[in-house]
Amino acid sequence: MNAARHDTPIATEVAKLRERVSVQAPADVTAVFDADERRLDAAGLPPGIARPPIPFPDIDLHDMSGNVVSSATILAGRTTVVVFYRGTWCPYCNIALHAYRQLMPELSARGVSLIAVSPQKPEVPSEVDAGDPPFPVFCDPGSKLADALGIMTTPTEAVRDAQTQLGFDLRAFNAGHSEAIPMPTVALVDSSGVLRWIDAHPNYTRRTEPAEILAALHLAAGGQP
Protein backbone atom coordinates (compact mmCIF):
# COMPACT_ATOMS: atom_id res chain seq x y z
CA MET A 1 0.00 0.00 0.00
CA ASN A 2 1.22 3.54 -0.67
CA ALA A 3 -0.04 7.07 -0.13
CA ALA A 4 -1.77 7.16 -3.50
CA ARG A 5 -4.14 4.39 -2.47
CA HIS A 6 -5.69 6.53 0.28
CA ASP A 7 -8.11 7.94 -2.27
CA THR A 8 -10.82 9.15 0.15
CA PRO A 9 -9.19 12.03 2.03
CA ILE A 10 -10.47 12.87 5.49
CA ALA A 11 -11.29 16.34 4.14
CA THR A 12 -13.75 14.78 1.69
CA GLU A 13 -15.60 12.92 4.45
CA VAL A 14 -15.57 16.01 6.64
CA ALA A 15 -17.17 18.03 3.83
CA LYS A 16 -19.97 15.47 3.60
CA LEU A 17 -20.47 15.60 7.36
CA ARG A 18 -20.59 19.40 7.37
CA GLU A 19 -23.26 19.30 4.70
CA ARG A 20 -25.38 16.91 6.77
CA VAL A 21 -24.90 19.00 9.91
CA SER A 22 -25.95 22.18 8.12
CA VAL A 23 -29.25 20.51 7.24
CA GLN A 24 -29.95 18.59 10.45
CA ALA A 25 -28.67 20.79 13.28
CA PRO A 26 -30.54 23.86 14.56
CA ALA A 27 -29.49 27.03 12.74
CA ASP A 28 -28.45 28.80 15.96
CA VAL A 29 -26.14 25.89 16.84
CA THR A 30 -24.46 25.77 13.44
CA ALA A 31 -23.98 29.55 13.60
CA VAL A 32 -22.09 29.17 16.89
CA PHE A 33 -19.83 26.45 15.48
CA ASP A 34 -19.19 28.38 12.26
CA ALA A 35 -18.17 31.46 14.26
CA ASP A 36 -15.92 29.34 16.46
CA GLU A 37 -14.14 27.86 13.44
CA ARG A 38 -13.38 31.37 12.21
CA ARG A 39 -12.03 32.25 15.67
CA LEU A 40 -9.83 29.16 15.75
CA ASP A 41 -8.50 29.80 12.26
CA ALA A 42 -7.62 33.38 13.21
CA ALA A 43 -5.87 32.29 16.42
CA GLY A 44 -3.71 29.67 14.73
CA LEU A 45 -1.28 27.42 16.54
CA PRO A 46 -0.48 28.19 20.19
CA PRO A 47 2.99 29.66 20.81
CA GLY A 48 3.88 26.91 23.29
CA ILE A 49 3.43 23.97 20.94
CA ALA A 50 6.26 21.40 21.04
CA ARG A 51 8.99 21.86 18.44
CA PRO A 52 10.83 18.70 17.32
CA PRO A 53 13.25 17.23 17.96
CA ILE A 54 12.63 16.91 21.71
CA PRO A 55 12.19 13.93 24.04
CA PHE A 56 8.58 12.79 24.02
CA PRO A 57 7.03 13.43 27.48
CA ASP A 58 6.79 10.41 29.79
CA ILE A 59 3.29 10.74 31.28
CA ASP A 60 1.04 8.17 32.95
CA LEU A 61 -1.97 7.21 30.84
CA HIS A 62 -4.83 4.76 31.42
CA ASP A 63 -5.62 1.87 29.11
CA MET A 64 -9.23 1.01 28.34
CA SER A 65 -9.35 -1.27 31.39
CA GLY A 66 -8.30 1.60 33.63
CA ASN A 67 -4.76 0.33 34.22
CA VAL A 68 -2.07 2.99 34.61
CA VAL A 69 0.76 2.73 32.10
CA SER A 70 3.45 5.26 31.22
CA SER A 71 3.77 6.64 27.72
CA ALA A 72 7.37 5.39 27.64
CA THR A 73 6.16 1.86 28.34
CA ILE A 74 3.52 2.19 25.64
CA LEU A 75 6.06 3.35 23.06
CA ALA A 76 8.33 0.44 24.03
CA GLY A 77 11.22 1.57 21.87
CA ARG A 78 9.25 1.47 18.61
CA THR A 79 8.62 4.19 16.10
CA THR A 80 5.07 5.26 16.90
CA VAL A 81 2.37 7.45 15.41
CA VAL A 82 0.49 9.10 18.29
CA VAL A 83 -2.99 10.40 17.43
CA PHE A 84 -4.60 12.89 19.82
CA TYR A 85 -8.36 13.16 19.43
CA ARG A 86 -11.07 15.03 21.33
CA GLY A 87 -13.29 12.03 22.05
CA THR A 88 -15.62 9.71 20.21
CA TRP A 89 -18.47 12.13 20.90
CA CYS A 90 -16.83 14.19 18.13
CA PRO A 91 -17.94 13.01 14.66
CA TYR A 92 -14.89 14.60 13.04
CA CYS A 93 -12.66 12.49 15.30
CA ASN A 94 -14.51 9.34 14.29
CA ILE A 95 -13.94 10.12 10.62
CA ALA A 96 -10.22 10.59 11.23
CA LEU A 97 -9.85 7.48 13.40
CA HIS A 98 -11.57 5.39 10.74
CA ALA A 99 -9.14 6.73 8.13
CA TYR A 100 -6.17 5.90 10.35
CA ARG A 101 -7.45 2.33 10.70
CA GLN A 102 -6.81 1.98 6.99
CA LEU A 103 -3.15 2.86 7.57
CA MET A 104 -2.48 -0.09 9.86
CA PRO A 105 -1.32 -2.62 7.21
CA GLU A 106 1.18 -0.08 5.83
CA LEU A 107 2.41 0.92 9.28
CA SER A 108 2.72 -2.68 10.45
CA ALA A 109 4.74 -3.55 7.36
CA ARG A 110 7.16 -0.75 8.33
CA GLY A 111 7.34 -1.89 11.96
CA VAL A 112 5.55 1.27 13.09
CA SER A 113 2.97 1.35 15.88
CA LEU A 114 -0.07 3.63 16.13
CA ILE A 115 -1.86 4.63 19.32
CA ALA A 116 -4.74 7.01 19.97
CA VAL A 117 -5.02 9.25 23.04
CA SER A 118 -7.89 11.38 24.36
CA PRO A 119 -9.13 12.71 27.72
CA GLN A 120 -12.24 10.54 27.38
CA LYS A 121 -12.89 8.26 30.35
CA PRO A 122 -12.09 4.58 29.72
CA GLU A 123 -15.61 3.59 30.78
CA VAL A 124 -17.29 5.87 28.22
CA PRO A 125 -18.57 3.66 25.37
CA SER A 126 -16.36 4.06 22.34
CA GLU A 127 -16.65 2.62 18.86
CA VAL A 128 -12.88 2.91 18.63
CA ASP A 129 -12.23 0.23 21.25
CA ALA A 130 -15.26 -1.95 20.50
CA GLY A 131 -14.54 -5.53 19.51
CA ASP A 132 -11.00 -6.04 18.27
CA PRO A 133 -9.44 -2.58 17.83
CA PRO A 134 -6.69 -2.28 15.22
CA PHE A 135 -4.70 0.04 17.49
CA PRO A 136 -4.54 0.69 21.25
CA VAL A 137 -6.56 3.55 22.72
CA PHE A 138 -5.53 5.38 25.91
CA CYS A 139 -7.05 7.91 28.28
CA ASP A 140 -4.98 10.97 29.20
CA PRO A 141 -6.57 12.07 32.52
CA GLY A 142 -6.43 15.81 32.81
CA SER A 143 -4.84 15.89 29.34
CA LYS A 144 -1.38 16.03 30.93
CA LEU A 145 0.36 14.53 27.91
CA ALA A 146 -1.44 16.85 25.51
CA ASP A 147 -0.68 19.81 27.77
CA ALA A 148 3.03 18.89 27.86
CA LEU A 149 3.02 19.13 24.06
CA GLY A 150 1.23 22.49 24.12
CA ILE A 151 -1.80 21.36 22.11
CA MET A 152 -4.61 22.09 24.59
CA THR A 153 -7.68 24.20 23.95
CA THR A 154 -10.84 25.03 25.90
CA PRO A 155 -14.21 25.61 24.21
CA THR A 156 -15.79 29.02 24.66
CA GLU A 157 -18.94 29.40 26.73
CA ALA A 158 -21.01 29.75 23.55
CA VAL A 159 -19.59 26.50 22.17
CA ARG A 160 -20.15 24.69 25.47
CA ASP A 161 -23.78 25.83 25.45
CA ALA A 162 -24.19 24.61 21.86
CA GLN A 163 -22.57 21.27 22.75
CA THR A 164 -24.93 20.91 25.71
CA GLN A 165 -27.86 21.60 23.42
CA LEU A 166 -26.68 18.67 21.29
CA GLY A 167 -26.21 16.42 24.34
CA PHE A 168 -22.41 16.67 24.69
CA ASP A 169 -21.19 17.35 28.24
CA LEU A 170 -17.39 17.29 28.17
CA ARG A 171 -17.15 17.27 31.95
CA ALA A 172 -19.11 14.02 31.99
CA PHE A 173 -17.05 12.48 29.19
CA ASN A 174 -13.57 13.50 30.30
CA ALA A 175 -11.49 11.95 33.05
CA GLY A 176 -10.97 14.67 35.65
CA HIS A 177 -14.25 16.35 34.60
CA SER A 178 -12.39 18.97 32.59
CA GLU A 179 -13.75 20.88 29.63
CA ALA A 180 -10.26 21.28 28.17
CA ILE A 181 -9.50 19.06 25.17
CA PRO A 182 -6.53 18.49 22.85
CA MET A 183 -6.37 19.96 19.41
CA PRO A 184 -6.58 17.19 16.82
CA THR A 185 -2.92 16.30 16.48
CA VAL A 186 -0.71 13.58 15.05
CA ALA A 187 2.82 13.15 16.39
CA LEU A 188 5.63 10.91 15.21
CA VAL A 189 7.97 9.52 17.87
CA ASP A 190 11.08 7.61 16.84
CA SER A 191 12.40 4.40 18.41
CA SER A 192 14.62 6.39 20.81
CA GLY A 193 11.62 8.28 22.20
CA VAL A 194 12.28 11.55 20.38
CA LEU A 195 9.44 13.59 18.90
CA ARG A 196 10.32 13.94 15.23
CA TRP A 197 7.18 15.50 13.75
CA ILE A 198 3.94 17.03 15.01
CA ASP A 199 0.91 18.25 13.07
CA ALA A 200 -1.70 20.05 15.17
CA HIS A 201 -4.97 21.59 13.97
CA PRO A 202 -6.55 24.43 15.98
CA ASN A 203 -9.68 24.08 13.81
CA TYR A 204 -11.10 20.70 14.83
CA THR A 205 -12.74 20.13 11.43
CA ARG A 206 -9.29 19.83 9.84
CA ARG A 207 -7.22 16.68 10.31
CA THR A 208 -3.90 15.19 9.34
CA GLU A 209 -4.39 13.11 6.21
CA PRO A 210 -3.04 9.52 6.07
CA ALA A 211 -0.80 10.47 3.16
CA GLU A 212 0.79 13.20 5.31
CA ILE A 213 1.61 10.65 8.01
CA LEU A 214 3.28 8.36 5.47
CA ALA A 215 5.23 11.31 4.08
CA ALA A 216 6.44 12.22 7.60
CA LEU A 217 7.57 8.63 8.16
CA HIS A 218 9.43 8.68 4.87
CA LEU A 219 11.28 11.87 5.79
CA ALA A 220 12.04 10.65 9.31
CA ALA A 221 13.60 7.55 7.77
CA GLY A 222 15.94 9.74 5.75
CA GLY A 223 13.96 9.89 2.53
CA GLN A 224 13.70 12.90 0.23
CA PRO A 225 10.58 15.13 0.24
Side-chain angles (χ1 to χ4, degrees):
M1 183 183 298
N2 55 47
R5 290 188 56 184
H6 300 283
D7 53 1
T8 306
I10 293 173
T12 299
E13 297 302 323
V14 165
K16 294 176 183 177
L17 172 61
R18 290 169 66 94
E19 184 175 351
R20 293 196 299 272
V21 169
S22 68
V23 173
Q24 298 171 1
D28 58 334
V29 169
T30 58
V32 168
F33 291 144
D34 288 345
D36 192 53
E37 284 188 50
R38 292 192 293 271
R39 178 186 68 85
L40 294 169
D41 285 335
L45 289 170
I49 190 170
R51 302 293 181 185
I54 59 169
F56 194 72
D58 188 11
I59 303 289
D60 283 344
L61 304 177
H62 293 177
D63 66 20
M64 288 298 100
S65 297
N67 300 310
V68 178
V69 57
S70 72
S71 54
T73 299
I74 294 167
L75 296 177
R78 295 186 67 186
T79 298
T80 304
V81 175
V82 184
V83 176
F84 291 87
Y85 67 104
R86 307 196 305 162
T88 52
W89 53 268
C90 170
Y92 300 102
C93 291
N94 291 330
I95 287 173
L97 292 171
H98 177 75
Y100 300 148
R101 281 191 182 99
Q102 313 311 310
L103 270 179
M104 291 308 297
E106 172 76 1
L107 296 180
S108 296
R110 296 179 181 217
V112 176
S113 299
L114 185 149
I115 66 170
V117 180
S118 87
Q120 184 170 291
K121 296 176 182 176
E123 62 267 24
V124 174
S126 165
E127 65 182 45
V128 177
D129 61 355
D132 184 17
F135 50 79
V137 178
F138 296 93
C139 168
D140 181 13
S143 292
K144 294 179 181 178
L145 180 56
D147 188 49
L149 293 172
I151 56 171
M152 291 300 296
T153 184
T154 301
T156 64
E157 182 177 357
V159 169
R160 292 197 300 269
D161 289 343
Q163 290 172 335
T164 300
Q165 187 174 339
L166 295 177
F168 302 138
D169 182 355
L170 299 191
R171 290 169 298 182
F173 290 152
N174 289 347
H177 307 289
S178 171
E179 293 173 331
I181 48 179
M183 296 177 181
T185 300
V186 176
L188 176 60
V189 185
D190 70 16
S191 58
S192 62
V194 173
L195 176 69
R196 291 296 177 185
W197 178 76
I198 187 168
D199 188 38
H201 295 267
N203 185 333
Y204 55 87
T205 68
R206 300 194 178 120
R207 304 296 167 121
T208 305
E209 295 287 351
E212 294 176 298
I213 297 173
L214 294 179
L217 282 166
H218 178 68
L219 288 176
Q224 296 298 314

